[in-house]
Amino acid sequence: MDPQKLKDNFALVAANGVDVAEYFYADLFAREPQLRSMFPAGMSRQYDLLLGALGRIVATVDDHDRLVPFLRDLGRQHHGFGVLADHYAPVGASLLATLAYFSGPDWTDDLEHDWAAAYGLVTKVMTGAAAELVS
Ligand code: HEM
């Protein structure tokens, strides 16, 4: 994984502001309509929170001492929201689709591979922390 490439790509995508979060949730709810009811009716706060968290994850993707505690907290919170391990795959698919859409011609197989690896790490740490709450 090339952390700098992920950071540069996220900066390019995030320059589109709230449109990124809007696209992401539209894609997710088209993919998995049953997930819509897990979220509040008004999504604007959620848009900001998602973009903020993604920015923080990308900024610390090569600093696991900071990233892992953040993701463990986020995983425990998500357990409280009723999020299950199976929910992470569609969210990852929507995330990659969103990044590809806003990257346009800059999207490459390498970026797709690196983002998938980063999301795999996020999923592992978040679901691991959530699983400890029920074991
Ligand atoms: C990269 C992975 C993810 C990130 C960065 C992320 C980020 C966030 C953040 C920052 C919040 C707000 C927490 C707060 O209120 O302080 C949140 C809430 C939430 N997330 Fe995620 N999330 C991720 C994965 C998922 C997955 C896989 C699901 C499954 C459907 C999910 C569903 C939710 C729900 C239901 C809420 C609560 C909405 C509410 O009631 O306000 N998230 N997420």
Side-chain angles (χ1 to χ4, degrees), residues 38-40 45-46 49 53 77-78 81 83 87 91 119 122:
M38 295 178 78
F39 291 86
R45 178 174 171 272
Q46 187 65 30
L49 292 173
Q77 278 181 44
H78 278 70
F81 298 142
V83 173
H87 293 140
V91 166
Y119 186 76
V122 168

Side-chain angles (χ1 to χ4, degrees), residues 1 6 57 61 67 71 113-123:
M1 187 193 299
L6 282 191
I57 290 167
V61 72
L67 179 60
L71 290 178
H113 177 269
D114 282 7
W115 272 111
Y119 186 76
L121 172 71
V122 168
T123 299

Side-chain angles (χ1 to χ4, degrees), residues 3-56:
Q4 194 53 49
K5 281 206 181 125
L6 282 191
K7 290 177 192 190
D8 292 347
N9 180 244
F10 189 71
L12 175 88
V13 169
N16 295 282
V18 82
D19 290 359
V20 177
E22 226 164 42
Y23 186 98
F24 166 81
Y25 285 110
D27 185 277
L28 181 64
F29 299 148
R31 221 177 265 277
E32 299 285 337
Q34 77 282 6
L35 295 184
R36 179 64 186 93
S37 61
M38 295 178 78
F39 291 86
M43 289 290 285
S44 42
R45 178 174 171 272
Q46 187 65 30
Y47 290 167
D48 291 342
L49 292 173
L50 176 79
L51 290 173
L54 287 176
R56 183 162 172 180

